[in-house]
């Protein structure tokens, strides 16, 4: 379709196109975009006039709307405009280059200025995407393809752009429309940039001291020294405690004064700020003395193009010596602006630095001198306890205006809180010791809570005794008797080691005697015998050995039991052992110690519930039950943790790996398995033995009987023998290990007296 000139929009020159029409609906039809793809569109009005020349032959142009035909296509032009510069006296304007984009789908335009580094201008999108109207005198028309070409100067919102170039697609598209595109035009030089390209000599010397190497090598490495400054010669002078920091990156130092609290002195953050400290100080240096260069003259016609001439011989330079790291150490004396500072000690990093670099080994700290009138720490006076509330609550009123609740030992609470079946509560049975006949038969249960050493007492009243079965004493810490509580000294309380069978306790003027304890308490005290000396078998045997040494023959002759007819074992009844120990030791031994010996050497058969074979059977039963056979992955994790391939890992690491692999077994079973694995001398566990222990295919074991794993492997569930059943006489005499005089005099054949018992 050829383009026809448009008639002016005046009366008589235009014809109403709707004359004679009776249907004003939008004509729509389906058209094909691609093979098998149709869309709903309007029929093109062939009578409508277009300013554009067609790129298709007459009658062959497609009926696709422009938003679909030209989707994603745009014409790119390169242009520039001049902007007036008011601040620069040598240049009146400067050139700014932009890119003009014309979108074919809707006739919108967008102007973007490429960003230039250090331009100082707000660059980017100058005109956002929109249809831009042509300025007056033309109205009601927007810029289109015919208005954009190389050499044209469109005016957009009061700014004139000159188009100088376009891209390859734009040139080909305009040529297909029959629009010739001229050759590119050179952009004129920007006078502002030309002025900035003129070489300007630096106003400061260009030579610099390179400190980057030391910075990269010693960054964040600081030597710390401790010292003092004796200022007692001055009026009201004292000895100042100082802390010196030497920065290895630039050889600077800073000095900080450590002022004790409530010293009556105020000090700033630093005594000497970070700087290089000269060795010899004679006064303030003149201005510019710390500069590394000496300026001889300033050359140039004007201030902008002037430059300096430096003295390459440094004739006027004043050399200054500063303190280095090799001049610092324990016992060194340095002069800091006329003040004598003595270094007395250094931290661990500084010691390692001097040991590595200078080979020093002696780092004995010096003693700081003390003066008689020097500040001394005054202990806080605590008034005596007045009896109101607990001692800790009353003590809180002496420290703060608003008292805070007393702090508890949180670490002790974590270790002795209830954990599964392990309650950490020791229960003892006691009777009241009183001169009143009715109170002698009263029975009580004393509970000792190990998490905070508190005590509660519950009375077990008999029927028709006149006493009620109830709580006798609520849970609370109880002070030891015989203390003067109305003093400032903190009172002492009953501890866990004060409770044992046979002990007599004075609990708030009520006297109790412990007669027995439950199995949990006995077993717990034996497992933690370092905290309970009455349940420590080693200490008890040493006490027995010392007391029975003089009367050993008589003891064996009187109390050695006869041999059993069935086997060679000898069983000594507990009552006879108790009688013998009371006869020869008296009050030196308690009933709890005798029960501990009887439990350890019990003649009853001890069933081993936690043997290696039994634990392995339980483990294989659990693995078969949950269908866990991922042993290869566990092996990879073990090798990953053991980077040195030693074959051994710590117990904590193995426990973490096993829990991370989600092995479907109980924690008690995991701990029991780790207890039975082979260990090295340093306590680490052989994980190859762990893999063999868990392998259900090699050396399989029969399944274990269905049990509750939590209770079967818990130490308190073991069947402990009764202390009244008797003790194994042979084992007891063997561990007693008392040598007689006849055995000592026998040369080369040292036999112990237990042979008398056999």
């Amino acid at each position: 379709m050829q383009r026809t000139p448009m008639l002016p929009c005046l009366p008589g020159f235009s014809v109403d196109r709707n004359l004679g029409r009776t249907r004003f609906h939008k004509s729509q039809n389906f058209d094909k975009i691609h093979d098998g793809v149709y869309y709903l569109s309007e029929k093109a009005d062939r009578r409508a006039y277009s300013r554009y020349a067609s790129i298709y032959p007459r009658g062959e142009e497609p009926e696709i709307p422009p938003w679909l035909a030209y989707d994603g296509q745009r014409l790119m032009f390169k242009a520039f405009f001049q902007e007036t510069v008011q601040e620069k006296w040598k240049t009146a304007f400067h050139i700014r280059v932009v890119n003009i984009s014309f979108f074919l789908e809707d006739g919108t335009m967008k102007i973007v200025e490429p960003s230039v580094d250090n331009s100082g201008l707000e660059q980017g999108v100058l005109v956002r995407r929109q249809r831009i109207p042509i300025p007056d005198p033309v109205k009601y028309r927007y810029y289109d393809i015919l208005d954009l070409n190389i050499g044209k100067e469109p005016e957009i919102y009061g700014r004139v752009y000159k188009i100088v170039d376009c891209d390859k697609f734009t040139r080909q598209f305009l040529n297909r429309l029959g629009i010739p595109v001229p050759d590119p035009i050179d952009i004129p030089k920007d006078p502002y940039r030309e002025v900035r390209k003129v070489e300007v000599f630096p106003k400061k010397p260009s030579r610099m001291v390179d400190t980057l190497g030391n910075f990269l090598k010693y960054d964040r490495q600081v030597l710390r020294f401790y010292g003092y400054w004796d200022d007692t010669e001055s009026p009201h002078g004292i000895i100042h405690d100082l802390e010196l920091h030497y920065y290895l990156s630039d050889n600077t130092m800073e000095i900080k004064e450590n002022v004790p609290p409530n010293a009556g002195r105020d000090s700033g953050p630093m005594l000497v700020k970070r700087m290089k400290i000269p060795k010899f100080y004679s006064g303030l240096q003149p201005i510019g003395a710390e500069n590394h260069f000496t300026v001889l003259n300033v050359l140039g016609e004007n201030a902008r193009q002037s430059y300096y001439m430096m003295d390459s011989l440094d004739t006027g330079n004043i050399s200054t010596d500063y303190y280095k790291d090799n001049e610092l150490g324990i016992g060194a004396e340095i002069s800091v602006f006329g003040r004598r500072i003595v270094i007395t000690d250094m931290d661990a990093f500084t010691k390692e630095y001097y040991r590595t670099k200078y080979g020093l080994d002696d780092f004995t700290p010096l003693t700081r001198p003390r003066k008689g009138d020097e500040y001394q720490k005054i202990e806080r006076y605590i008034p005596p306890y007045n009896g109101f509330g607990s001692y800790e609550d009353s003590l809180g009123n002496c420290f703060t205006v608003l008292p805070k609740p007393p702090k508890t030992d949180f670490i002790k609470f974590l270790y002795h809180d209830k954990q599964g079946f392990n309650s950490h509560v020791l229960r003892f049975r006691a009777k009241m010791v009183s001169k009143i006949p009715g109170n002698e038969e009263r029975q009580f249960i004393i509970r000792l809570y190990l998490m905070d050493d508190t005590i509660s007492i519950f009375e077990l009243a008999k029927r028709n005794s006149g006493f009620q079965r109830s709580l006798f004493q609520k849970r609370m810490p109880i002070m030891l008797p015989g203390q003067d509580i109305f003093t400032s000294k903190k009172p002492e309380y009953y501890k866990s080691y004060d409770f044992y069978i046979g002990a007599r306790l004075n609990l708030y003027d009520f006297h109790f005697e412990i007669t027995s304890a439950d199995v949990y308490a006995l077993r717990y005290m034996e497992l933690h015998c370092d905290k309970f000396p009455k349940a420590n078998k080693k200490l008890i045997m040493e006490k027995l050995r010392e007391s029975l040494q003089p009367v050993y023959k008589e003891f064996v002759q009187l109390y050695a039991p006869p041999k059993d007819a069935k086997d060679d074992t000898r069983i000594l009844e507990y009552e006879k052992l108790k009688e013998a120990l009371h006869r020869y030791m008296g009050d030196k031994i308690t009933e709890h110690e005798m029960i501990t010996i009887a439990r350890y050497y019990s003649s009853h058969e001890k069933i081993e519930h936690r043997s290696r074979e039994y634990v392995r059977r339980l483990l294989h039963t659990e693995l078969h039950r949950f269908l866990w056979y991922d042993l290869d992955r566990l092996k990879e994790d073990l090798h990953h943790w053991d980077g040195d391939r030693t074959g051994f890992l710590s117990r904590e690491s193995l426990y973490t790996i096993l829990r991370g692999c989600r092995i479907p077994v109980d924690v008690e079973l995991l701990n029991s398995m780790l207890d039975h694995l082979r260990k090295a001398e340093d306590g680490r566990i052989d994980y190859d033995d762990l893999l063999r222990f868990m392998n259900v295919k090699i050396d399989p074991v029969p399944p274990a009987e269905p049990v509750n794993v939590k209770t079967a492997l818990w130490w308190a569930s073991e069947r402990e023998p009764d202390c009244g059943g008797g003790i194994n006489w042979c084992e007891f005499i063997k561990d007693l290990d008392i040598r007689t005089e006849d055995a000592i005099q026998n040369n080369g054949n040292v036999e112990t007296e237990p042979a008398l018992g056999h």
Side-chain angles (χ1 to χ4, degrees):
M1 179 184 298
Q2 295 183 357
R3 184 171 63 89
T4 58
M6 179 180 291
L7 296 176
C9 188
L10 295 175
F13 290 90
S14 61
V15 180
D16 189 1
R17 298 179 181 178
N18 294 327
L19 291 177
R21 292 186 60 182
T22 58
R23 301 175 62 188
F24 297 93
H25 66 279
K26 295 291 185 181
S27 300
Q28 300 176 352
N29 67 327
F30 280 99
D31 198 359
K32 183 187 294 185
I33 302 177
H34 298 291
D35 295 339
V37 180
Y38 295 88
Y39 76 101
L40 186 64
S41 64
E42 299 179 3
K43 287 186 177 181
D45 189 0
R46 302 183 183 276
R47 298 173 299 173
Y49 172 74
S50 176
R51 298 179 65 236
Y52 306 111
S54 177
I55 60 176
Y56 299 98
R58 182 178 299 178
E60 296 183 5
E61 63 272 11
E63 297 182 357
I64 302 177
W67 58 267
L68 188 61
Y70 303 111
D71 183 27
Q73 299 181 11
R74 61 178 174 176
L75 306 181
M76 294 292 297
F77 299 93
K78 187 176 183 180
F80 72 91
F81 67 93
Q82 295 182 2
E83 186 177 32
T84 305
V85 178
Q86 304 291 345
E87 296 83 4
K88 201 69 176 175
W89 64 276
K90 283 190 175 182
T91 57
F93 64 92
H94 64 89
I95 304 298
R96 298 178 63 176
V97 181
V98 297
N99 294 327
I100 301 177
S101 302
F102 183 86
F103 297 89
L104 297 174
E105 59 187 36
D106 54 0
T108 56
M109 296 175 60
K110 180 181 179 181
I111 302 177
V112 180
E113 181 180 8
S115 60
V116 179
D117 295 338
N118 301 325
S119 64
L121 302 174
E122 295 183 1
Q123 298 173 329
V125 179
L126 300 183
V127 179
R128 62 181 178 85
R129 182 175 175 178
Q130 57 183 298
R131 296 190 68 185
I132 301 177
I134 298 178
D136 294 336
V138 182
K139 293 184 178 180
Y140 310 111
R141 195 167 68 84
Y142 299 90
Y143 280 105
D144 54 15
I145 298 176
L146 300 179
D147 301 319
L148 302 177
N149 205 338
I150 296 178
K152 291 190 176 183
E153 298 181 357
E155 181 182 354
I156 300 175
Y157 297 128
R159 181 176 289 172
V160 179
Y161 298 87
K162 184 169 181 66
I163 301 176
V164 296
D165 198 1
C166 64
D167 61 355
K168 184 177 180 181
F169 171 78
T170 304
R171 185 179 295 273
Q172 293 178 355
F173 187 85
L174 294 178
N175 289 335
R176 292 180 62 186
L177 290 177
I179 302 175
V181 181
D183 294 334
I185 302 174
D186 295 335
I187 300 176
K189 294 183 179 180
D190 187 3
Y192 180 74
R193 293 187 181 181
E194 295 297 327
V195 172
R196 295 191 61 179
K197 290 181 180 179
V198 177
E199 183 179 0
V200 179
F201 292 97
K203 293 186 177 181
K204 295 183 179 180
S206 59
R207 292 190 299 171
M208 298 179 62
V209 178
D210 185 15
T211 58
L212 182 60
N214 286 338
F215 174 78
L216 296 177
K217 184 177 181 181
Y218 297 109
D219 184 28
R220 303 176 67 87
Q221 297 187 18
V222 182
L223 305 181
R224 178 180 296 179
F225 303 91
Y226 303 97
Y228 66 90
W229 165 38
D230 191 355
D231 191 32
T232 54
E233 297 180 358
S234 302
H236 309 289
I238 61 173
I239 298 178
H240 301 264
D241 291 328
L242 304 178
E243 186 174 325
L244 289 77
H245 299 162
Y246 185 88
Y247 294 85
L248 296 173
S249 59
D250 54 358
N251 299 326
T252 56
M253 293 175 59
E254 66 179 9
I255 303 177
K256 177 183 178 182
E257 182 179 4
N258 296 326
V259 180
N262 301 326
R265 294 185 289 111
D266 190 13
S267 177
M270 286 293 171
L271 182 66
V272 178
K273 69 176 184 179
R274 181 176 176 180
M275 59 183 300
K276 288 187 176 181
I277 298 180
K279 295 181 182 179
F280 307 100
Y281 176 73
S282 58
L284 294 177
Q285 297 182 358
I287 298 176
E290 66 276 3
N291 201 332
H292 300 283
F293 309 101
T294 303
V295 179
L296 294 180
N297 199 355
V298 180
L299 305 178
E301 298 178 357
N302 49 36
R304 180 174 179 81
Q305 297 184 354
S306 61
Y307 61 95
Y308 293 92
M309 178 178 290
M310 297 174 297
D311 184 9
S312 59
L313 300 178
D314 293 336
T315 55
N317 188 18
I318 302 175
S319 61
T320 305
D321 294 335
Y322 299 97
Y323 282 106
K324 304 292 183 182
D325 57 346
N326 57 353
E327 299 172 343
L328 304 177
I330 297 178
E333 298 182 3
I334 61 176
S335 176
V336 180
F337 301 111
R339 294 168 177 82
R340 176 177 168 272
I341 296 178
V342 181
I343 299 177
T344 59
D345 199 1
M346 60 181 67
D347 62 353
F349 171 77
T350 308
K351 293 178 182 178
E352 184 63 25
Y353 175 80
Y354 279 94
R355 184 183 294 108
T356 304
K357 186 173 182 179
Y358 298 106
L360 300 179
D361 293 329
D362 187 11
F363 300 103
T364 305
L366 300 181
T367 304
R368 175 185 178 277
R370 300 288 178 181
K371 301 297 181 180
D373 56 348
E374 191 177 357
Y375 167 78
Q376 296 180 357
K377 183 178 180 180
I378 301 176
E379 295 184 0
R380 179 180 297 178
Y381 171 73
I382 299 177
Y385 175 55
N386 54 11
F388 292 98
S390 63
Y391 177 84
E392 289 76 9
D393 289 336
S394 299
L395 185 63
N397 293 306
C398 303
F399 292 152
T400 58
V401 177
L402 298 176
K404 300 179 181 179
K407 295 183 179 180
T408 58
D409 191 350
F410 187 71
I411 302 300
K412 186 176 181 180
F413 170 78
L414 289 179
Y415 279 100
H416 296 91
D417 191 18
K418 183 178 180 180
Q419 301 173 3
F421 293 98
N422 200 356
S423 62
H424 290 97
V425 179
L426 306 184
R427 287 170 289 272
F428 301 91
R429 191 184 185 96
K431 66 178 181 179
M432 182 176 289
V433 180
S434 176
K435 296 181 180 180
I436 303 175
N439 291 340
E440 293 181 353
E441 298 180 358
R442 299 174 67 179
Q443 299 291 327
F444 300 87
I445 296 295
I446 300 178
R447 291 186 178 91
L448 174 63
Y449 298 87
L450 298 177
M451 67 173 65
D452 53 1
D453 292 331
T454 53
I455 302 169
S456 67
I457 306 175
F458 189 85
E459 183 174 3
L460 302 174
K462 295 182 180 180
R463 181 178 297 180
N464 299 327
S465 63
F467 297 99
Q468 186 179 2
R469 180 185 178 94
S470 61
L471 183 66
F472 184 81
Q473 173 65 50
K474 69 177 183 179
R475 179 180 174 182
M476 61 183 300
I478 299 179
M479 293 186 292
L480 293 174
Q483 300 184 86
D484 186 7
I485 62 175
F486 298 103
T487 60
S488 58
K489 183 180 179 181
K490 183 178 180 180
E492 297 181 0
Y493 297 88
Y494 276 103
K495 300 296 181 181
S496 58
Y497 52 80
D498 295 325
F499 291 80
Y500 54 89
I501 299 176
R504 291 203 170 193
L505 309 174
N506 183 359
L507 307 179
Y508 289 125
D509 294 335
F510 288 95
H511 297 270
F512 298 91
E513 181 181 356
I514 298 178
T515 57
S516 63
D518 62 356
V519 178
Y520 176 85
L522 295 175
R523 181 61 174 164
Y524 186 90
M525 296 171 72
E526 292 171 2
L527 291 177
H528 303 82
C529 58
D530 54 334
K531 300 179 181 178
F532 300 92
K534 300 299 181 181
N536 194 330
K537 176 251 178 184
K538 184 178 180 181
L539 297 179
I540 299 172
M541 293 301 292
E542 291 179 358
K543 185 188 297 186
L544 293 177
R545 191 178 299 111
E546 181 181 356
S547 300
L548 297 178
Q549 178 75 33
V551 293
Y552 180 66
K553 288 186 178 181
E554 180 183 353
F555 169 73
V556 173
Q557 291 175 358
L558 293 178
Y559 295 98
K563 292 184 179 180
D564 193 355
K566 298 181 180 180
D567 51 12
D568 294 338
T569 60
R570 298 189 178 193
I571 307 301
L572 178 65
E573 296 181 0
Y574 173 71
E575 295 298 333
K576 288 188 177 181
L577 175 65
K578 185 177 180 180
E579 177 187 350
L581 296 181
H582 276 304
R583 177 180 179 180
Y584 294 108
M585 300 186 67
D587 296 336
K588 294 182 180 180
I589 189 170
T590 62
E591 186 175 355
H592 194 111
E593 293 174 328
M594 291 186 286
I595 293 176
T596 302
I597 295 298
R599 284 169 53 85
Y600 188 83
Y601 297 102
S602 176
S603 60
H604 288 198
E605 181 183 0
K606 294 184 179 180
I607 303 176
E608 184 62 41
H609 285 265
R610 302 177 69 177
S611 63
R612 178 184 174 95
E613 190 67 20
Y614 179 73
V615 174
R616 190 163 183 260
R617 289 175 58 191
L618 284 179
L619 178 66
H620 285 198
T621 303
E622 294 294 316
L623 295 181
H624 282 301
R625 188 161 68 94
F626 289 98
L627 302 177
W628 189 89
Y629 305 105
D630 199 1
L631 201 63
D632 295 336
R633 180 186 174 187
L634 176 61
K635 185 176 181 180
E636 293 178 0
D637 293 340
L638 292 172
H639 288 167
H640 175 72
W641 279 66
D642 186 17
D644 299 334
R645 295 296 187 271
T646 59
F648 294 89
L649 288 173
S650 63
R651 182 188 179 95
E652 293 77 10
S653 301
L654 284 179
Y655 183 82
T656 303
I657 296 172
L658 294 175
R659 295 289 289 173
C661 291
R662 299 183 180 275
I663 299 179
V665 296
D666 194 78
V667 176
E668 294 288 343
L669 184 55
L670 283 182
N671 290 324
S672 300
M673 178 184 64
L674 295 177
D675 292 337
H676 289 87
L677 296 178
R678 190 170 65 88
K679 300 179 179 61
E681 296 180 356
D682 56 355
R684 295 187 301 167
I685 300 177
D686 183 6
Y687 58 79
D688 291 332
D689 190 22
L690 170 67
L691 296 175
R692 291 191 297 269
F693 193 93
M694 298 181 61
N695 198 329
V696 297
K697 298 181 180 179
I698 301 177
D699 191 14
V701 294
E705 298 178 359
V707 294
N708 188 350
V709 178
K710 285 184 176 295
T711 58
L713 297 177
W714 186 45
W715 60 264
S717 64
E718 298 179 4
R719 300 176 184 177
E720 294 296 331
D722 187 6
C723 63
I727 67 171
N728 192 327
W729 173 261
C730 299
E731 295 293 334
F732 173 70
I733 293 299
K734 181 180 178 181
D735 292 345
L736 194 59
D737 193 19
I738 297 180
R739 300 181 182 181
T740 60
E741 296 180 358
D742 298 338
I744 296 175
Q745 293 176 0
N746 189 5
N747 296 329
N749 186 15
V750 180
E751 295 182 358
T752 59
E753 193 61 30
L756 297 174
H758 292 283

